Structures are given as structure tokens and as C-alpha cells.
Amino acid sequence: EAEQVQQMSESITNMIGKAALLPEGDVEPGHEWEQVLSVAEITKELVKDNPMLSIVSEMGIPDLKTTYTLDEVGEDSGKEIATISSQTLFDWTEGNLPLGFINVTVNKVSIEGNSLTTLDVTQGFTSRQTSDTKLDYDLTINMVFGPDGPATYEAKGGLTINSNVKTD
């Protein structure tokens, strides 16, 4: 199991690693670009290492979309610095996750993330990133077996994550 988890982790990392923060070619302040992380493509890659995940690729899970804007380019201590803002959106309003003895009905799973990234263009690394991400969910969980027989549970709520990462 640990080997399968490692393979899945490497597959996801490779897929995400292909996504660059800046688009190819020259961009000027005010330029916007979009990046789409295809859930279908990720699951297709993961299924290679774990065939049990093949059902995930057929669930109609929407793509994760991020829109970037190059806010400004400047200089600091002889280095070219770019400031990039981004917004990530994911909205899955209807779905079903059959997991053997457990069936999860997705009524809503949504993610909205906003980030501000400072990129050291000269040395090629992110020097600072501030992010606010909100996750809202509404799930119905049906279990075939429980202490008193079949059971249904509701899971509704939200999670807000605020982070600030600085690289020296």
C-alpha cells in the first residue's frame, strides 16, 4: 500500500509540476492567462498505477481552473521581481462516489482560492506567496453496514485556509 501511495503521489506531482506559474513568451503587467487542471487527465494518469481508481475517471468531476494576472514587474536589489495574483475555482454540484460498502453523494464541493505570488524572475523561484482558500462541502454518506444496520450521514460545512509562505 505504501508503494501505491508513493506512485500516486509521484503521478500527481508530475501532473502539477507540468504547470508553470508564468506562460511561455513575454507578458506585460495586466496580462491574464488561464490554466486548467483536468481532473480526467489526472485520474487517467493515476489509473496506470492503481486500476481500482478507474471509476473516478468516469464521474464527471469538473476541472480546476486558475486565472492568473501579472500585476507588476519591478526590481529589488538588482533582481527582477514579478507580482502575480491568481484565482482558483472548482465547483462540483452533483456526483456520486461509490466506494464499495460506502456510497458518497456529492451535493456540492466548491473551492475558491485567491493568491498573491512574488516571483524572483532573475533566480527563478517564488519568494513569497499569500493565499486564502475556502472549501465548502455538502455530502450524503450511505453505509451498507453500521452498528444498527444501514446508515445515512450528512456532512456539511466549510474550511478556510489562510497561508503565507516566504522563501529566503
Side-chain angles (χ1 to χ4, degrees):
E1 287 181 5
E3 186 176 319
Q4 287 179 340
V5 169
Q6 179 65 31
Q7 288 174 347
M8 286 175 50
S9 175
E10 288 172 7
S11 293
I12 292 171
T13 300
N14 289 337
M15 290 291 291
I16 293 172
K18 292 178 185 175
L21 186 59
L22 288 170
E24 289 190 30
D26 293 336
V27 292
E28 298 291 327
H31 181 83
E32 272 190 15
W33 64 99
E34 186 176 88
Q35 189 172 55
V36 177
L37 185 59
S38 170
V39 174
E41 290 298 315
I42 290 173
T43 54
K44 194 184 318 178
E45 184 71 22
L46 292 174
V47 166
K48 292 177 187 176
D49 297 327
N50 189 344
M52 293 184 68
L53 293 175
S54 63
I55 191 154
V56 175
S57 62
E58 301 166 7
M59 293 183 171
I61 301 172
D63 296 335
L64 183 77
K65 295 179 184 177
T66 303
T67 303
Y68 297 91
T69 303
L70 178 59
D71 294 327
E72 64 181 328
V73 177
E75 193 173 304
D76 183 24
S77 303
K79 299 176 190 172
E80 185 178 20
I81 305 296
T83 303
I84 301 164
S85 58
S86 63
Q87 181 179 43
T88 300
L89 298 172
F90 174 83
D91 196 28
W92 189 16
T93 56
E94 184 178 335
N96 193 32
L97 299 169
L99 304 171
F101 297 112
I102 300 171
N103 184 55
V104 179
T105 301
V106 175
N107 303 311
K108 177 184 179 179
V109 174
S110 66
I111 299 171
E112 181 178 347
N114 294 290
S115 296
L116 185 62
T117 302
T118 304
L119 182 65
D120 182 331
V121 179
T122 304
Q123 295 183 334
F125 72 94
T126 299
S127 60
R128 176 179 219 123
Q129 184 171 46
T130 303
S131 302
D132 295 310
T133 304
K134 184 175 181 185
L135 165 70
D136 288 312
Y137 58 91
D138 179 353
L139 309 169
T140 303
I141 303 161
N142 292 302
M143 300 179 69
V144 175
F145 300 109
D148 300 318
T152 299
Y153 302 95
E154 300 289 326
K156 297 179 183 184
L159 175 67
T160 301
I161 303 168
N162 303 309
S163 68
N164 188 10
V165 178
K166 184 177 181 200
T167 306
D168 292 326

